Amino acid sequence: MPFFQLLAQSCTSPADSLGGAAGPTSGDFWQQQLRFPRVRVAQAGTGPVVADRLRTHGLTPQRLEIFLRLIKTNRELEVWARNQGARSFKLLHRYPLAATSGHLGPKRRAGDRQVPEGFYEIDRFNPQSDYHLSLGLNYPNAADRALGEPNPGGDIFIHGGEVTIGCLPITDLGIEEVYLLAVTARAAGQTVIPVHIFPFPITETELAKHATSFHQAFWRELMPGYTYFEQHHEPAHY
């Protein structure tokens, strides 16, 4: 299988109107999440902010799809969103990272304090996280297993708080918003929530600044996915 295809493999309604009847299981997913106190508190306190942001951008919770992107040098988690059936995503909000660890380059082994780079998706909702709330990434994916060491590590999350040893902390308030957006999208029927992580904007100009890096070839493998989204505001599918 071509290397870039390996990289791409990862890959009752609340009162404030975030929830809704998008399908036969949407209410079930909301009810499952609302069994947890932190989700209920987030829904009551942060939910109206999220609902208002969606309305401002012309987005309907019952049709919501989201896409997450991190460019490490920007130190922000970007949340893009669209209604189901729309051709492209539009930027909804940026959430500053509260802390970072490691250096530019992919994660290759357990304990290296690196944030992964590549194409991932949300595979876990953790409403009882040690860091308030958290969303798990499907690291290691096929590319990580092919290129990493025998023990590539795991348990990479977008979470609350302000500390990290390889995860993406966006403060408790930030994760409440992103968590509610992810729950809303999943309840609306989005089974795959993509998360793309890049070291920097992967352009020829930026690559030239890192010409001597050991990771240059790897970053060039990420470049088509970065470029496609920049051009179309739609994640590439392989």
Side-chain angles (χ1 to χ4, degrees), residues 28-95:
D28 292 342
F29 189 71
W30 265 114
Q31 290 302 321
Q32 178 190 26
Q33 288 294 312
L34 289 171
R35 296 200 322 254
F36 298 96
R38 294 178 194 172
V39 180
R40 293 197 300 271
V41 170
Q43 176 69 344
T46 306
V49 175
V50 174
D52 184 64
R53 184 169 290 137
L54 294 178
R55 282 192 296 270
T56 299
H57 287 79
L59 297 164
T60 305
Q62 293 81 9
R63 299 171 54 210
L64 182 67
E65 293 182 340
I66 64 171
F67 165 74
L68 309 182
R69 185 172 75 161
L70 172 72
I71 299 172
K72 289 181 175 179
T73 53
N74 290 352
R75 296 174 61 99
E76 294 175 328
L77 179 70
E78 302 170 0
V79 178
W80 296 71
R82 69 182 178 189
N83 288 324
Q84 294 168 8
R87 293 186 58 184
S88 61
F89 285 88
K90 49 190 172 184
L91 183 63
L92 182 65
H93 200 65
R94 293 184 175 94
Y95 297 87

Side-chain angles (χ1 to χ4, degrees), residues 175-198:
I175 192 58
E176 285 188 1
E177 293 191 16
V178 175
Y179 194 94
L180 291 177
L181 286 166
V183 170
T184 302
R186 179 60 55 86
Q190 186 179 5
T191 58
V192 175
I193 299 176
V195 183
H196 291 186
I197 304 177
F198 301 107

